[in-house]
mmCIF file of all heavy atoms in Angstrom:
data_model
loop_
_atom_site.group_PDB
_atom_site.id
_atom_site.type_symbol
_atom_site.label_atom_id
_atom_site.label_comp_id
_atom_site.label_asym_id
_atom_site.label_seq_id
_atom_site.Cartn_x
_atom_site.Cartn_y
_atom_site.Cartn_z
ATOM 1 N N TRP A 94 54.940 22.937 65.970
ATOM 2 C CA TRP A 94 55.151 22.102 64.810
ATOM 3 C C TRP A 94 56.617 21.702 64.639
ATOM 4 O O TRP A 94 57.020 20.560 64.475
ATOM 5 C CB TRP A 94 54.621 22.884 63.593
ATOM 6 C CG TRP A 94 54.964 22.182 62.288
ATOM 7 C CD1 TRP A 94 54.359 21.199 61.666
ATOM 8 C CD2 TRP A 94 55.982 22.648 61.418
ATOM 9 N NE1 TRP A 94 54.930 20.853 60.510
ATOM 10 C CE2 TRP A 94 55.954 21.763 60.300
ATOM 11 C CE3 TRP A 94 56.981 23.578 61.409
ATOM 12 C CZ2 TRP A 94 56.832 21.812 59.196
ATOM 13 C CZ3 TRP A 94 57.887 23.719 60.266
ATOM 14 C CH2 TRP A 94 57.733 22.890 59.195
ATOM 15 N N LEU A 97 57.679 19.305 67.388
ATOM 16 C CA LEU A 97 57.154 17.938 67.125
ATOM 17 C C LEU A 97 57.989 17.184 66.086
ATOM 18 O O LEU A 97 58.247 16.030 66.175
ATOM 19 C CB LEU A 97 55.687 18.045 66.779
ATOM 20 C CG LEU A 97 54.693 18.281 67.848
ATOM 21 C CD1 LEU A 97 53.321 18.439 67.349
ATOM 22 C CD2 LEU A 97 54.804 17.019 68.883
ATOM 23 N N TRP A 98 58.421 17.966 65.161
ATOM 24 C CA TRP A 98 59.330 17.311 64.131
ATOM 25 C C TRP A 98 60.589 16.784 64.693
ATOM 26 O O TRP A 98 61.223 15.845 64.159
ATOM 27 C CB TRP A 98 59.608 18.341 62.970
ATOM 28 C CG TRP A 98 58.748 18.098 61.740
ATOM 29 C CD1 TRP A 98 57.861 19.040 61.203
ATOM 30 C CD2 TRP A 98 58.699 16.982 60.858
ATOM 31 N NE1 TRP A 98 57.291 18.485 60.093
ATOM 32 C CE2 TRP A 98 57.798 17.252 59.943
ATOM 33 C CE3 TRP A 98 59.372 15.776 60.840
ATOM 34 C CZ2 TRP A 98 57.449 16.337 58.838
ATOM 35 C CZ3 TRP A 98 59.123 14.844 59.861
ATOM 36 C CH2 TRP A 98 58.166 15.162 58.886
ATOM 37 N N VAL A 100 60.934 15.035 67.292
ATOM 38 C CA VAL A 100 60.729 13.715 67.860
ATOM 39 C C VAL A 100 61.087 12.598 66.814
ATOM 40 O O VAL A 100 62.051 11.836 67.079
ATOM 41 C CB VAL A 100 59.312 13.512 68.353
ATOM 42 C CG1 VAL A 100 59.057 12.108 68.799
ATOM 43 C CG2 VAL A 100 59.028 14.505 69.486
ATOM 44 N N PRO A 101 60.468 12.625 65.594
ATOM 45 C CA PRO A 101 60.799 11.563 64.658
ATOM 46 C C PRO A 101 62.265 11.665 64.160
ATOM 47 O O PRO A 101 62.929 10.635 64.074
ATOM 48 C CB PRO A 101 59.846 11.855 63.486
ATOM 49 C CG PRO A 101 59.331 13.182 63.627
ATOM 50 C CD PRO A 101 59.368 13.492 65.132
ATOM 51 N N ILE A 102 62.742 12.895 64.018
ATOM 52 C CA ILE A 102 64.201 13.017 63.548
ATOM 53 C C ILE A 102 65.101 12.504 64.587
ATOM 54 O O ILE A 102 66.071 11.725 64.249
ATOM 55 C CB ILE A 102 64.442 14.524 63.215
ATOM 56 C CG1 ILE A 102 63.611 14.943 61.980
ATOM 57 C CG2 ILE A 102 65.997 14.680 62.949
ATOM 58 C CD1 ILE A 102 63.615 16.447 61.728
ATOM 59 N N ALA A 138 62.114 2.486 64.170
ATOM 60 C CA ALA A 138 60.726 2.159 63.666
ATOM 61 C C ALA A 138 59.786 3.349 64.212
ATOM 62 O O ALA A 138 58.966 3.874 63.486
ATOM 63 C CB ALA A 138 60.333 0.870 64.182
ATOM 64 N N PHE A 139 60.020 3.660 65.539
ATOM 65 C CA PHE A 139 59.129 4.690 66.080
ATOM 66 C C PHE A 139 59.399 6.067 65.387
ATOM 67 O O PHE A 139 58.422 6.734 65.091
ATOM 68 C CB PHE A 139 59.436 4.894 67.514
ATOM 69 C CG PHE A 139 58.582 5.895 68.212
ATOM 70 C CD1 PHE A 139 57.235 5.686 68.456
ATOM 71 C CD2 PHE A 139 59.137 7.152 68.561
ATOM 72 C CE1 PHE A 139 56.460 6.625 69.014
ATOM 73 C CE2 PHE A 139 58.338 8.144 69.100
ATOM 74 C CZ PHE A 139 56.977 7.871 69.316
ATOM 75 N N GLY A 140 60.660 6.280 65.047
ATOM 76 C CA GLY A 140 60.975 7.550 64.359
ATOM 77 C C GLY A 140 60.271 7.646 63.068
ATOM 78 O O GLY A 140 59.718 8.660 62.685
ATOM 79 N N ILE A 141 60.257 6.487 62.219
ATOM 80 C CA ILE A 141 59.649 6.521 60.910
ATOM 81 C C ILE A 141 58.120 6.699 61.153
ATOM 82 O O ILE A 141 57.478 7.539 60.393
ATOM 83 C CB ILE A 141 59.993 5.192 60.182
ATOM 84 C CG1 ILE A 141 61.401 5.218 59.820
ATOM 85 C CG2 ILE A 141 59.123 5.076 58.967
ATOM 86 C CD1 ILE A 141 62.011 3.902 59.309
ATOM 87 N N LEU A 142 57.603 5.990 62.084
ATOM 88 C CA LEU A 142 56.100 6.053 62.275
ATOM 89 C C LEU A 142 55.700 7.509 62.632
ATOM 90 O O LEU A 142 54.764 8.134 62.220
ATOM 91 C CB LEU A 142 55.751 5.104 63.485
ATOM 92 C CG LEU A 142 54.270 4.669 63.585
ATOM 93 C CD1 LEU A 142 53.977 3.783 62.282
ATOM 94 C CD2 LEU A 142 54.071 3.870 64.757
ATOM 95 N N ALA A 143 56.489 8.077 63.648
ATOM 96 C CA ALA A 143 56.210 9.426 64.103
ATOM 97 C C ALA A 143 56.378 10.391 62.820
ATOM 98 O O ALA A 143 55.682 11.371 62.784
ATOM 99 C CB ALA A 143 57.134 9.866 65.230
ATOM 100 N N GLY A 144 57.346 10.077 62.071
ATOM 101 C CA GLY A 144 57.596 10.920 60.853
ATOM 102 C C GLY A 144 56.379 10.884 59.887
ATOM 103 O O GLY A 144 55.953 11.993 59.435
ATOM 104 N N VAL A 145 55.786 9.722 59.711
ATOM 105 C CA VAL A 145 54.597 9.614 58.867
ATOM 106 C C VAL A 145 53.430 10.438 59.502
ATOM 107 O O VAL A 145 52.713 11.194 58.791
ATOM 108 C CB VAL A 145 54.165 8.158 58.696
ATOM 109 C CG1 VAL A 145 52.828 8.040 58.031
ATOM 110 C CG2 VAL A 145 55.219 7.407 57.893
ATOM 111 N N GLY A 146 53.323 10.293 60.820
ATOM 112 C CA GLY A 146 52.299 11.074 61.509
ATOM 113 C C GLY A 146 52.509 12.546 61.359
ATOM 114 O O GLY A 146 51.548 13.315 61.137
ATOM 115 N N MET A 147 53.784 12.952 61.402
ATOM 116 C CA MET A 147 54.098 14.355 61.215
ATOM 117 C C MET A 147 53.839 14.957 59.920
ATOM 118 O O MET A 147 53.551 16.124 59.686
ATOM 119 C CB MET A 147 55.598 14.644 61.693
ATOM 120 C CG MET A 147 55.828 14.804 63.120
ATOM 121 S SD MET A 147 54.651 15.917 63.932
ATOM 122 C CE MET A 147 55.239 17.487 63.243
ATOM 123 N N VAL A 148 53.882 14.044 58.928
ATOM 124 C CA VAL A 148 53.521 14.475 57.566
ATOM 125 C C VAL A 148 52.069 14.996 57.496
ATOM 126 O O VAL A 148 51.736 16.007 56.954
ATOM 127 C CB VAL A 148 53.784 13.352 56.479
ATOM 128 C CG1 VAL A 148 53.136 13.778 55.186
ATOM 129 C CG2 VAL A 148 55.278 13.072 56.324
ATOM 130 N N TYR A 149 51.190 14.206 58.201
ATOM 131 C CA TYR A 149 49.840 14.611 58.232
ATOM 132 C C TYR A 149 49.644 15.939 59.048
ATOM 133 O O TYR A 149 48.844 16.828 58.633
ATOM 134 C CB TYR A 149 48.991 13.509 58.908
ATOM 135 C CG TYR A 149 48.769 12.317 57.941
ATOM 136 C CD1 TYR A 149 49.530 11.150 58.084
ATOM 137 C CD2 TYR A 149 47.842 12.424 56.890
ATOM 138 C CE1 TYR A 149 49.379 10.139 57.206
ATOM 139 C CE2 TYR A 149 47.693 11.310 56.111
ATOM 140 C CZ TYR A 149 48.442 10.174 56.143
ATOM 141 O OH TYR A 149 48.308 9.135 55.354
ATOM 142 N N VAL A 150 50.408 15.976 60.147
ATOM 143 C CA VAL A 150 50.321 17.297 60.903
ATOM 144 C C VAL A 150 50.767 18.401 60.089
ATOM 145 O O VAL A 150 50.184 19.500 60.108
ATOM 146 C CB VAL A 150 51.197 17.064 62.173
ATOM 147 C CG1 VAL A 150 51.242 18.469 62.994
ATOM 148 C CG2 VAL A 150 50.672 16.003 63.133
ATOM 149 N N THR A 151 51.786 18.214 59.307
ATOM 150 C CA THR A 151 52.346 19.265 58.396
ATOM 151 C C THR A 151 51.246 19.693 57.446
ATOM 152 O O THR A 151 51.149 20.906 57.121
ATOM 153 C CB THR A 151 53.621 18.847 57.708
ATOM 154 O OG1 THR A 151 54.553 18.384 58.696
ATOM 155 C CG2 THR A 151 54.241 19.906 56.901
ATOM 156 N N LYS A 152 50.644 18.667 56.868
ATOM 157 C CA LYS A 152 49.587 19.007 55.879
ATOM 158 C C LYS A 152 48.486 19.869 56.464
ATOM 159 O O LYS A 152 48.067 20.905 55.868
ATOM 160 C CB LYS A 152 48.907 17.717 55.351
ATOM 161 C CG LYS A 152 49.588 17.216 54.091
ATOM 162 C CD LYS A 152 48.879 15.997 53.549
ATOM 163 C CE LYS A 152 49.720 15.290 52.524
ATOM 164 N NZ LYS A 152 49.238 13.897 52.304
ATOM 165 N N ALA A 153 48.019 19.490 57.677
ATOM 166 C CA ALA A 153 47.011 20.294 58.359
ATOM 167 C C ALA A 153 47.558 21.687 58.674
ATOM 168 O O ALA A 153 46.773 22.645 58.402
ATOM 169 C CB ALA A 153 46.603 19.572 59.708
ATOM 170 N N PHE A 154 48.794 21.696 59.083
ATOM 171 C CA PHE A 154 49.397 23.008 59.370
ATOM 172 C C PHE A 154 49.445 23.876 58.103
ATOM 173 O O PHE A 154 49.123 25.031 58.150
ATOM 174 C CB PHE A 154 50.842 22.782 59.876
ATOM 175 C CG PHE A 154 51.515 24.002 60.442
ATOM 176 C CD1 PHE A 154 51.162 24.505 61.709
ATOM 177 C CD2 PHE A 154 52.462 24.645 59.737
ATOM 178 C CE1 PHE A 154 51.786 25.538 62.205
ATOM 179 C CE2 PHE A 154 53.019 25.794 60.287
ATOM 180 C CZ PHE A 154 52.719 26.255 61.500
#
Side-chain angles (χ1 to χ4, degrees):
Chain A
W94 171 78
L97 283 174
W98 259 116
V100 174
I102 292 169
F139 180 75
I141 291 170
L142 202 65
V145 172
M147 277 312 290
V148 170
Y149 286 101
V150 173
T151 304
K152 269 185 192 160
F154 190 78

